[in-house]
Amino acid sequence: MAAAVAPAAPAAPAAPPARAPQAKISEAALAAALADVPELARLLEMDPYLKPFAVEFQRRYKKFSEILRNIGENEGGIDKFSRGYETFGIHRCADGGLYCKEWAPGAEGVFLTGDFNGWNPFSYPYKKLDYGKWELYIPPKLDKSVLVPHGSKVKVVITSKSGEILYRISPWAKYVTREVGNVNYDWIHWDPEYPYKFKHSRPKKPRSLRIYESHVGISSHEGKIASYKHFTCNVLPRIKGLGYNCIQMMAIMEHAYYASFGYQVTSFFAASSRYGTPEDLKELVDTAHSMGIIVLLDVVHSHASKNSEDGLNMFDGTDSCFFHSGPRGTHNVWDSKLFAYSNWEVLRFLLSNIRWWLEEYCFDGFRFDGVTSMLYHDHGVGKSFSGDYSEYFGLHVDEDALVYLMLANHLVHTLYPDSITIAEDVSGMPALCSPILQGGGGFDYRLAMAIPDKWIQALVGDKSLAFWLMDAEMYTNMSVLAPFTPVIDRGIQLHKMIRLITHTLGGEGYLNFMGNEFGHPEWLDFPRKGNDESYHYARRQFHLTDDDLLRYKFLNNFDRDMNRLEERCGWLSAPQAHVSEKHEGNKIIAFERAGLLFIFNFHPSKSYTDYRVGTALPGKFKIVLDSDAAEYGGHHRLDHNTDFFSEPFGHNGRPNSLLVYIPNRVALVLQNVDLPN
């Protein structure tokens, strides 16, 4: 993922399968499916290849509807059901007392201990309720103040049926920290007297999604963990200046192991304390909103850390509390635990977690991590999806997990219709981004992971895109005072072209990992035993682009102007591009989208004079973006005052065409100036 560019793919019908589906469906079965799923007909009209699988959509939708109905009948509706954080955990009452509640079905007894009672493990026992729930009321002191003050350490004590005494952090803990030298995290009761008050309203949902993927901890050039405050003051202005309208925040949910990149979550309701306090994170989100930037949370509900003392695992002394019992509850590749999505209280926990981040921190949506792992019982491990639709339907699909995702999307879009949800799914499951009423998953976007993989396999520990292109010469030849070397020249020109063609052809959204916009050198690697706990590669060297004597500024300028042009012309929200030319010999790619004509010459040495390019539009064209411009580190071979006139001369299936000079390794964007803005 380091410095890779990946667009969010469209919520559109999947491509036809690689071979004709063998599945059959009777007219009666099809009619029943169409009757049960309100808008299934729309989906099948959009993609007739899905018709043989109509019964699968029917079963999924009926299961979703049944759970939603049961929630309504037994819990008073999903609105109430998703507010579990208002009662579970520890809460201050109006009278100054504390109400505590936990779900621990396998426990023999539950107690609260901490600084407030000298760590006596059994002096405050919970009362056992039905369905594995436990509650405790702690009266206030004589002066009506709370017995457990803000900032004090607490623990839940579980006595298991086998007689063990287990010290646990509540799954609903809002803040956990780890003292220097300690292995495990401590649960800190978070109840500030003056909590942060949001000052700015949520921005409206943008018509085009330009995402800046961010990790707070690595956002400083210093070899240390950066803070929420640092990100707010130093990185947000950069993001705004670059023209991004959305931030996707990684590694926010608390994770004990920093090098996990945030994907081994231990406390689901706690914002990571290694960057600062919950109030600091709220200020970050609020400040982004003041800039018109929406903020998405990278939510990890696909699995959880196997930690028990400061995680969810074995919370009640059993392996079947939040997770599947036995082998099904373990992801062997990730070495983590897997949720039992059909369990009533697990659904309450996860749906409440979704709502918590929306309400408490005012996030504007989510990228759901590891969706492919959730969708299939084999987690997609070692599986190459060919596109045959039979791969996406049948008993190998984990419908409990799929229905949970439908419920989560239903909740998010019911609470905040402008919220955005993105699925990280590499399998390409059909209809994942179709509306739930059509039998789909309800996501707005799918992250098209295959696109960055076509450029490089960009993973933690791997080189950045720029470093793959230029490697060690970035250490010595990025100064503007030195002449271009062939390696640096090639790398800078291709880096711009790769970003632009991904931005314009990749889908209906664009995602950039922090630092890639200016060609961040080297690679990304978190401190761990294998690198002597070094922070050297767990940082972003933004100062490189601020140095006027270095060439990083050129790549940064191009990223800024590319985003600004998209904001003005809106190609991401326009229909997909019409590609009129893909010439292998000439290395030319030409296409039209949003009234713009894009021409890419990837040839390493050949420039073309009077190259004919087809277009649907008659009239006069002007250059609006030129990767060869001097301000982008190019060779300034094009005159931007030139007018290009198309003529009614058909070419490559387009009714009109024009002649252009297109230098080697250059991307050119032309706009028809005769069209109204």
Side-chain angles (χ1 to χ4, degrees), residues 97-253:
L98 291 173
Y99 179 75
C100 314
K101 190 176 182 181
E102 298 295 342
W103 177 64
E108 187 68 28
V110 179
F111 308 83
L112 188 70
T113 188
D115 294 336
F116 72 98
N117 71 341
W119 292 96
N120 184 322
F122 305 121
S123 61
Y124 283 88
Y126 285 63
K127 175 186 175 183
K128 189 173 184 179
L129 306 175
D130 293 335
Y131 308 112
K133 297 171 188 173
W134 303 76
E135 70 175 4
L136 166 66
Y137 173 73
I138 302 176
K141 296 179 181 178
L142 292 177
D143 62 0
K144 299 300 181 182
S145 64
V146 292
L147 187 63
V148 183
H150 166 68
S152 59
K153 294 181 182 179
V154 285
K155 279 283 179 74
V156 172
V157 178
I158 303 287
T159 55
S160 71
K161 296 190 186 311
S162 63
E164 290 181 284
I165 300 174
L166 308 170
Y167 286 80
R168 297 287 189 251
I169 292 176
S170 170
W172 305 83
K174 300 172 184 175
Y175 188 60
V176 295
T177 63
R178 180 167 58 191
E179 294 181 354
V180 177
N182 286 0
V183 175
N184 296 320
Y185 273 72
D186 295 311
W187 175 17
I188 307 298
H189 178 52
W190 192 259
D191 186 23
E193 184 178 359
Y194 301 106
Y196 185 85
K197 300 293 184 184
F198 282 83
K199 306 175 183 66
H200 306 281
S201 59
R202 300 171 186 264
K204 292 183 178 179
K205 184 177 181 178
R207 67 168 183 168
S208 299
L209 201 59
R210 301 183 299 275
I211 305 173
Y212 193 86
E213 188 176 28
S214 304
H215 187 293
V216 171
I218 67 170
S219 64
S220 168
H221 71 275
E222 299 180 73
K224 65 177 185 180
I225 298 175
S227 67
Y228 295 123
K229 291 279 191 182
H230 170 86
F231 191 95
T232 301
C233 297
N234 297 281
V235 184
L236 282 182
R238 292 182 182 274
I239 297 171
K240 175 66 174 176
L242 284 165
Y244 289 93
N245 56 16
C246 177
I247 304 170
Q248 179 180 301
M249 303 208 69
M250 312 173 70
I252 294 298
M253 303 168 75

Side-chain angles (χ1 to χ4, degrees), residues 494-559:
L494 287 180
H495 197 277
K496 291 177 289 187
M497 297 177 74
I498 286 171
R499 281 180 287 154
L500 182 61
I501 200 168
T502 303
H503 207 310
T504 52
L505 271 186
E508 294 173 339
Y510 179 77
L511 183 147
N512 171 74
F513 183 76
M514 64 190 309
N516 186 57
E517 69 275 7
F518 64 86
H520 200 286
E522 301 178 324
W523 51 89
L524 178 60
D525 196 12
F526 285 84
R528 52 188 174 82
K529 289 182 179 179
N531 63 11
D532 295 325
E533 304 294 338
S534 172
Y535 286 86
H536 182 75
Y537 299 109
R539 60 193 181 117
R540 296 285 90 175
Q541 301 180 58
F542 289 111
H543 63 287
L544 294 175
T545 193
D546 297 333
D547 191 330
D548 208 41
L549 295 178
L550 295 178
R551 292 189 166 107
Y552 296 97
K553 64 180 181 180
F554 299 136
L555 298 175
N556 195 75
N557 292 344
F558 183 79
D559 209 77

